[in-house]
Amino acid sequence: PMLIVHLHYDCRDAMGANAVNTAVENLAPMIADITGGRTNLRILSNLADQRTATASGLIPAAALERDGYTGTEVARFIAEANAFAVVDPYRAATHNKGIMNGIDAVVIATGNDWRAIEAGAHSYAARNGRYQALTDWHVTENGDLYGSITLPMAVGIVGGATKVHPTAKVAMKLMGIQSAPELAMVLACVGLAQNLAAIKALSTVGIQKGHMRLHARQVAIAAGATNDQVQAIANQLAAEKKINIVRAQELLAELNQR
């Protein structure tokens, strides 16, 4: 028979990997003695489901109007998009990936382990036996949009690179972070906001429109454009729907001749 022992450890403002791993290493001989068995793996879990962060918010329907859609329609579209990600794991994978686009950036900037946060988030999304959306968006009785997100957030502001790396220190200072729970709350808010932006675009004008504009900028830079030239060429490429480096080089040549 196999025995699995869980140690619940309050890491306070540390991410806690070293603290937990040290603790389980020291407990291993005691476990072996009590059970009369052999201890094998001794390591933390990145599924920190006792250390979650939640963010929620209410958005008036009127604030969601765009591109000919009423705010009520957009609120309904977003709720439908979330429902899709709850029932379909293929959609949920991309839905949650978009959430992590925002969270990972802040985790990296603050010197934390983005891979650990990713692992925990995706494991948590499958905690009920089926992979699904980390968010909940629904329309309230008043027709407004309510959204929330909950996910594991084992981050720290002490230990590792968080107090040593200058960029991490600046990032913490800019956010005014004083504790690990505060950082966790910021990350949850970023994830919810990132998800809202993505599914709002996806359920109205379509995500590809924004993606192609970003691609147009990359093509302009690859063609040799600099500073203000980049946006001017990107705008023209998008307007012409000819987003390729040959056309970008032609437009750059025209700009340089003026």
Side-chain angles (χ1 to χ4, degrees):
M2 177 183 292
L3 173 68
I4 300 173
V5 178
H6 287 188
L7 171 67
H8 290 229
Y9 197 113
D10 185 353
C11 303
R12 310 302 292 175
D13 285 333
M15 182 273 180
N18 289 332
V20 171
N21 289 340
T22 299
V24 294
E25 287 286 359
N26 282 280
L27 283 172
M30 184 187 303
I31 299 296
D33 184 56
I34 293 172
T35 62
R38 173 178 60 88
T39 57
N40 193 355
L41 305 185
R42 304 169 300 280
I43 191 169
L44 87 163
S45 171
N46 290 124
L47 178 53
D49 56 4
Q50 302 299 307
R51 194 179 180 184
T52 60
T54 297
S56 62
L58 184 69
I59 303 170
L64 296 169
E65 293 180 11
R66 68 171 296 174
D67 300 301
Y69 297 102
T70 67
T72 301
E73 288 176 319
V74 174
R76 187 178 75 251
F77 294 161
I78 290 172
E80 290 173 354
N82 195 89
F84 183 13
V86 170
V87 300
D88 182 11
Y90 291 91
R91 171 63 202 135
T94 310
H95 180 97
N96 291 340
K97 183 266 185 184
I99 291 170
M100 302 312 293
N101 280 346
I103 291 175
D104 286 350
V106 183
V107 172
I108 292 169
T110 56
N112 278 279
D113 187 349
W114 67 271
R115 297 151 302 176
I117 299 302
E118 281 270 354
H122 295 300
S123 298
Y124 192 74
R127 67 192 181 281
N128 294 321
R130 179 171 51 83
Y131 188 85
Q132 60 187 59
L134 288 164
T135 53
D136 169 43
W137 291 100
H138 63 262
V139 179
T140 68
E141 292 181 358
N142 296 329
D144 297 326
L145 183 68
Y146 173 85
S148 66
I149 185 173
T150 297
L151 72 168
M153 202 53 71
V155 291
I157 65 167
V158 297
T162 54
K163 281 289 188 181
V164 178
H165 198 287
T167 302
K169 291 167 68 175
V170 169
M172 295 289 191
K173 184 177 180 180
L174 285 171
M175 291 187 288
I177 298 299
Q178 299 297 321
S179 70
E182 286 184 16
L183 177 57
M185 288 187 284
V186 168
L187 288 162
C189 290
V190 169
L192 188 63
Q194 183 82 13
N195 180 245
L196 174 62
I199 58 176
K200 183 182 179 186
L202 184 62
S203 60
T204 53
V205 298
I207 204 72
Q208 193 64 1
K209 183 176 180 180
H211 279 180
M212 292 311 291
R213 287 193 173 276
L214 288 173
H215 181 54
R217 285 182 56 86
Q218 293 167 347
V219 170
I221 293 170
T226 59
N227 301 325
D228 295 339
Q229 293 177 329
V230 173
Q231 193 60 56
I233 292 174
N235 290 343
Q236 187 62 32
L237 291 173
E240 295 178 0
K241 297 183 178 180
K242 295 180 179 178
I243 304 177
N244 61 73
I245 195 164
V246 173
R247 181 56 180 148
Q249 289 170 337
E250 292 173 353
L251 292 172
L252 179 60
E254 292 174 10
L255 281 176
N256 288 335
Q257 289 175 358
R258 293 176 185 175

